[in-house]
Amino acid sequence: MTVERTVFTRTLRQKSGLAEQRVWALLRSGRIDGHKFRRQHPIGRYVADLACDRLRLVIEIDGGVHDRDEVVTSDHLRQIELEALGWTVLRFTNTQVLSEPDSVVAAIRTHARLIAS
């Protein structure tokens, strides 16, 4: 990884939003069946909000900007590219994370178990 990309991902981690911080607190240190997740993890030309290399699972936390048409299109193309690289992408909104954290964790755990089996 280049120095510029390392600095960029470090900056993203430092500026992460509340919803992403909450999900990270629920996933870190192997809290989902021992799976190690990373924050702001580079994959191809993208940087995933959260990712587990072993499961090839990406977790994206989408704020309000992701409702805009051009961002929806960009997200869709990005997801297609990540899936072509062999990754599975799960998306949650900030609202879901902040109002239903247990449901978000349950969905991630269920999906992780499906992938792992």
Side-chain angles (χ1 to χ4, degrees), residues 74-94:
S74 169
D75 285 346
H76 179 70
L77 295 173
R78 171 188 165 124
Q79 185 162 334
I80 288 171
E81 229 176 290
L82 289 170
E83 289 171 348
L85 293 171
W87 290 80
T88 299
V89 179
L90 294 180
R91 291 188 170 281
F92 300 97
T93 65
N94 284 353

Side-chain angles (χ1 to χ4, degrees), residues 10-14 22 56-58 60 86 94 106 117:
R10 185 173 295 136
T11 301
L12 288 174
R13 283 191 296 273
Q14 292 168 349
R22 294 257 172 99
R56 297 187 67 77
L57 176 62
V58 169
E60 289 292 318
N94 284 353
S117 62

Side-chain angles (χ1 to χ4, degrees), residues 20-108:
E20 188 177 320
Q21 290 172 17
R22 294 257 172 99
V23 172
W24 174 240
L26 297 168
L27 296 181
R28 66 185 302 200
S29 303
R31 292 185 175 132
I32 300 288
D33 299 336
H35 297 294
K36 181 178 181 177
F37 282 85
R38 298 175 182 270
R39 288 189 321 159
Q40 302 307 328
H41 184 61
I43 301 170
R45 63 189 188 118
Y46 299 106
V47 177
D49 289 341
L50 301 147
C52 176
D53 277 325
R54 185 168 67 179
L55 296 173
R56 297 187 67 77
L57 176 62
V58 169
I59 309 296
E60 289 292 318
I61 311 302
D62 296 339
V65 71
H66 292 268
D67 293 335
R68 294 170 41 198
D69 289 341
E70 66 275 9
V71 178
V72 169
T73 301
S74 169
D75 285 346
H76 179 70
L77 295 173
R78 171 188 165 124
Q79 185 162 334
I80 288 171
E81 229 176 290
L82 289 170
E83 289 171 348
L85 293 171
W87 290 80
T88 299
V89 179
L90 294 180
R91 291 188 170 281
F92 300 97
T93 65
N94 284 353
T95 302
Q96 286 175 299
V97 169
L98 297 174
S99 65
E100 309 165 30
D102 293 337
S103 297
V104 170
V105 169
I108 294 169

